Amino acid sequence: MQRLRDLAISDTGFVFDPFSGATYTVNGTAQCLLDGLKRGLDRDGLVALLRERFECSDEDLPRDIDDLVQSLRMFGLVPGGFEVGR
Amino acid sequence: MSAPLTVAVTGLNATDNPGPGVGVIRSLRHCRDDVRVVGLAYDALEPGVYADGLVSDVFLIPYPSQGIDPLRDRLSYIRERTGFDVIIPTLDAELPGFVELAPELAAQGVGTLLPTREQLDLRCKAKLAALGDKGLPVPASRVLTDVTQLYAIHEVIPFPIVVKGPYYGARVAHTLEEAVAAFYKMVGEWGYPVIVQQFVAGQELCVCAVGDGEGGLVGAVQMRKTVITDKGKGWAGVAIRDPGLSQLTATFMSATRWRGPCELEVIRDADGGYHVLEVNPRFPAWCFLSAGAGMNLPYAVAELAAGRELSPLHDYRVGTMFVRIALDQISDMDAFSRMSTAGEVVRSHGVAR
């Protein structure tokens, strides 16, 4: 999780990984989730954070979280077996 | 404020495969007005010769193939003309000569911060495998002096392989035919021997580092190339921080007791393993990133070579980028004619004392 915590995220959604030098751009939802994950929020906390920031239906939220975590695994930014705690 | 420092620097061939000299010079002059630079060039048309905002005086020096005596004589003359305090050689092929001359230069009051001849030999491409005995992860490799040795190479190093020249150049070969073609290309460009190395897939990372000669690290900046030319050279890059790479650099320094600047070229594979592909015994061309990121390694080398106390080296700023640019410098025929005939361009009115 150290790599996730070390990510530098700008207000515009530009992400820099100081470990690899890789850069990414993320949308507002992913930016919000990354912020929550860096703060160590669990799934309920992330859902609450998204509800607070966006107008969205409840069924979208778990899928958004899972999609982002899948991407983070793919880019090696979290360990392969990482799951968001409940 | 210490006395002004006059530093002689080689490697002014700032082409699309640039020598490190211009990067070293820009670092020396970065945010400082107490450094005067003397350029040492092998050819009148080396681009750095015409960077008159960077280099006060420029002198031609003899090619390494001419032996050490002409170099000694020429440096003696240039020293009389400019009074340089320190020399920073930046090209692989010239380093043996400068290493051999270092004690004589020191006796004349000229400082260097160079590896020993043994250290230089230890990291040469043909002997890189010996670093494995010192605990550094190096890919399997073989030194070839005959193309027929390639026919059985797959028995010890499976394809794909990397075929390398003794100083520069590398080609990935997936088949014997490609390997043979690469072999002849390397021989044609760089001569014998040819080195065959196991190809390792992964992220290519570089470290610009300076060793204190006693096993310690003066400083190091890590970089990942973000744009690579068709010659495999980094045209853009970003400063990174990988703790495993820091450990590897520290291990290299303690294992070799390296003295002076160097560049480690490393592959980090998908499993997080590290493989040292090359150790270059001098600053890399991208070394200005170290100054730009806040850890000015060339200036640190100049200070140490001059026997001065090292100014505090601050940590570098991760995320600092470099993006190279090709610029057309404008010059007149005067500088070129003076380089071509007298072998020197002196802009600073001689010795600055």
Side-chain angles (χ1 to χ4, degrees):
Chain A
M1 292 297 287
Q2 188 61 45
R3 278 186 72 180
L4 188 67
R5 280 193 285 272
D6 286 346
L7 290 179
I9 307 172
S10 77
D11 294 341
T12 56
F14 188 80
V15 180
F16 172 64
D17 175 8
F19 174 81
S20 69
T23 56
Y24 312 89
T25 51
V26 296
N27 64 14
T29 308
Q31 195 176 348
C32 178
L33 285 171
L34 282 173
D35 177 46
L37 286 167
K38 287 179 75 168
R39 284 158 46 197
L41 296 183
D42 61 11
R43 186 173 283 267
D44 290 342
L46 292 174
V47 166
L49 192 63
L50 287 175
R51 277 212 192 100
E52 182 186 309
R53 301 271 291 274
F54 301 98
E55 285 187 16
C56 48
S57 62
D58 281 357
E59 59 266 28
D60 289 341
L61 302 182
R63 195 185 61 218
D64 286 344
I65 294 169
D66 291 339
D67 284 352
L68 180 74
V69 169
Q70 174 63 22
S71 296
L72 294 175
R73 283 197 213 103
M74 192 173 74
F75 291 121
L77 295 170
V78 294
F82 174 78
E83 296 285 350
V84 180
R86 292 186 183 276
Chain B
M1 188 79 174
S2 31
L5 200 56
T6 300
V7 185
V9 180
T10 68
L12 307 184
N13 53 326
T15 61
D16 62 340
N17 182 11
V22 170
V24 169
I25 292 166
R26 290 188 71 208
S27 303
L28 293 173
R29 297 179 65 98
H30 186 60
C31 303
R32 309 202 71 96
D33 55 12
D34 58 348
V35 176
R36 175 173 163 246
V37 175
V38 175
L40 305 178
Y42 290 100
D43 188 279
L45 274 176
E46 288 187 15
V49 171
Y50 303 93
D52 56 5
L54 292 174
V55 188
S56 312
D57 311 324
V58 191
F59 294 82
L60 284 179
I61 56 173
Y63 280 100
S65 57
Q66 295 180 37
I68 198 162
D69 291 334
L71 178 63
R72 178 190 293 112
D73 294 344
R74 186 63 175 160
L75 291 178
S76 176
Y77 168 78
I78 298 167
R79 166 98 162 127
E80 278 177 28
R81 294 291 310 276
T82 65
F84 61 79
D85 306 293
V86 164
I87 298 185
I88 303 181
T90 68
L91 302 173
D92 293 23
E94 69 187 6
L95 276 169
F98 279 99
V99 168
E100 193 176 334
L101 278 181
E104 292 177 43
L105 291 167
Q108 296 164 23
V110 176
T112 56
L113 194 73
L114 296 171
T116 63
R117 182 64 205 228
E118 291 72 30
Q119 290 168 337
L120 205 57
D121 290 344
L122 176 67
R123 46 58 49 195
C124 79
K125 290 183 188 180
K127 297 180 183 170
L128 193 66
L131 286 178
D133 300 335
K134 292 182 174 289
L136 287 151
V138 291
S141 66
R142 290 290 185 276
V143 180
L144 311 185
T145 52
D146 190 310
V147 73
T148 58
Q149 293 173 284
L150 271 177
Y151 299 141
I153 198 74
H154 64 279
E155 292 173 9
V156 282
I157 305 177
F159 283 96
I161 60 175
V162 185
V163 182
K164 296 181 163 187
Y167 289 115
Y168 301 99
R171 279 194 157 193
V172 178
H174 295 82
T175 63
L176 178 60
E177 290 72 24
E178 289 178 5
V180 170
F183 182 95
Y184 284 121
K185 182 171 173 58
M186 292 306 150
V187 171
E189 285 186 19
W190 302 110
Y192 289 99
V194 170
I195 296 95
V196 167
Q197 195 174 64
Q198 178 67 66
F199 174 79
V200 184
Q203 200 165 48
E204 190 178 336
L205 309 173
C206 299
V207 185
C208 176
V210 177
D212 64 6
E214 295 172 1
L217 181 68
V218 175
V221 174
Q222 302 173 6
M223 184 273 288
R224 177 193 160 205
K225 296 173 186 174
T226 51
V227 177
I228 297 176
T229 68
D230 56 356
K231 290 179 178 163
K233 303 297 167 187
W235 197 257
V238 60
I240 61 167
R241 187 172 339 269
D242 174 342
L245 201 52
S246 302
Q247 183 57 51
L248 187 72
T249 308
T251 301
F252 171 77
M253 291 300 171
S254 63
T256 63
R257 302 175 72 81
W258 189 264
R259 185 171 187 267
C262 66
E263 180 193 30
L264 305 182
E265 295 186 15
V266 179
I267 292 283
R268 184 176 58 213
D269 66 29
D271 299 324
Y274 298 88
H275 309 266
V276 179
L277 297 187
E278 281 184 24
V279 179
N280 296 314
R282 37 77 187 163
F283 278 117
W286 57 270
C287 65
F288 183 62
L289 179 68
S290 78
M295 182 187 278
N296 195 332
L297 294 175
Y299 189 74
V301 164
E303 283 186 309
L304 290 171
R308 295 185 178 182
E309 192 175 335
L310 187 65
S311 301
L313 268 182
H314 303 289
D315 200 2
Y316 65 93
R317 291 180 294 277
V318 174
T320 307
M321 294 170 54
F322 77 87
V323 183
R324 205 164 272 166
I325 186 170
L327 288 173
D328 298 340
Q329 299 182 109
I330 300 300
S331 183
D332 53 34
M333 196 51 75
D334 183 50
F336 179 52
S337 70
R338 281 186 283 152
M339 279 302 282
S340 301
T341 54
E344 61 187 66
V345 177
V346 177
R347 305 180 179 107
S348 68
H349 311 295
V351 176
R353 291 288 179 192

